Amino acid sequence: GENVEQHPSTLSVQEGDSAVIKCTYSDSASNYFPWYKQELGKGPQLIIDIRSNVGEKKDQRIAVTLNKTAKHFSLHITETQPEDSAVYFCAGGSGGGADGLTFGKGTHLIIQP
Amino acid sequence: NAGVMQNPRHLVRRRGQEARLRCSPMKGHSHVYWYRQLPEEGLKFMVYLQKENIIDESGMPKERFSAEFPKEGPSILRIQQVVRGDSAAYFCASSPLAGTDEQFFGPGTRLTVL
């Protein structure tokens, strides 16, 4: 089955700086890679996703890159703000809604004022 | 447009009791997924259901756990004879018609077994 590794487990950056979180996956059949933000006591919120036919996707301050050959994908947050502080999870799936997602263990992002 | 709804939000059970967790998917969504999250861990897939069908239960423990998504009403995750190791947050997600990957999560049910 799929295995998703996520690094780092904790990331502290100064407000205004950029943050990068990296994930690797093992199953070459995976073709859908979402990122979720989870705040304390709440459910995960989908913030951006990418499919394997695309190398990069951007939405305002958030971008995701995918390298299919190396089987890794990354989340980039620019101009970080205090409200970006949360736990971020990457995930992988084979798409088509056919099965569940495999999640990484999460990155606790701390934005220092 | 209400999101995914789960209830109860918090559930306390004693060892040996039964826990029933409910999930109402987003309007128009016919696919439901259940995940379990242990403290400081990512989410682990348990089961994927469509109306009246279990599609994939490969992540579900073989004993004591069951799930259903009836034609009418919410999806139910049922845990019989709970043990302390069942204490976790259980999240439900829903997605639109087949062929779409986005899964939208509910707020979760936090189960505590005393």
Side-chain angles (χ1 to χ4, degrees), chain A residues 6 9 21 36-40 44-45 47 84-89 105-110, chain B residues 37 40-41:
Chain A
Q6 182 171 349
S9 57
I21 302 171
Y36 287 86
K37 175 183 180 182
Q38 186 177 29
E39 296 175 324
L40 193 62
Q45 177 189 5
I47 56 172
D84 294 330
S85 294
V87 179
Y88 291 80
F89 292 97
K105 290 195 173 183
T107 295
H108 188 191
L109 177 62
I110 302 166
Chain B
Q37 185 178 36
E40 307 299 320
E41 293 282 328

Side-chain angles (χ1 to χ4, degrees), chain A residues 2 21-28 30-33 35 50-57 64-76:
Chain A
E2 175 67 286
I21 302 171
K22 299 181 179 182
C23 288
T24 60
Y25 63 99
S26 61
D27 189 352
S28 56
S30 291
N31 56 13
Y32 175 65
F33 306 95
W35 286 88
I50 191 167
R51 289 173 172 78
S52 59
N53 57 347
V54 175
E56 184 175 355
K57 184 176 178 180
V64 57
T65 58
L66 171 65
N67 183 326
K68 277 192 68 178
T69 303
K71 293 184 189 167
H72 67 70
F73 56 112
S74 301
L75 177 71
H76 304 253

Side-chain angles (χ1 to χ4, degrees), chain B residues 29-91:
Chain B
H29 288 193
S30 58
H31 302 251
V32 166
Y33 306 79
W34 285 93
Y35 293 82
R36 176 165 61 179
Q37 185 178 36
L38 295 171
E40 307 299 320
E41 293 282 328
L43 287 83
K44 301 292 187 187
F45 167 73
M46 298 180 73
V47 62
Y48 162 45
L49 310 102
Q50 296 178 20
K51 287 280 188 182
E52 300 184 281
N53 279 307
I54 297 174
I55 307 302
D56 180 0
E57 56 182 348
S58 58
M60 193 95 96
K62 294 288 186 281
E63 298 178 352
R64 303 188 297 108
F65 285 72
S66 63
E68 63 177 8
F69 189 14
K71 186 177 181 180
E72 300 290 338
S75 175
I76 306 276
L77 179 67
R78 182 184 179 201
I79 311 172
Q80 295 178 290
Q81 300 174 337
V82 295
V83 301
R84 288 218 173 107
D86 296 333
S87 295
Y90 292 82
F91 290 95

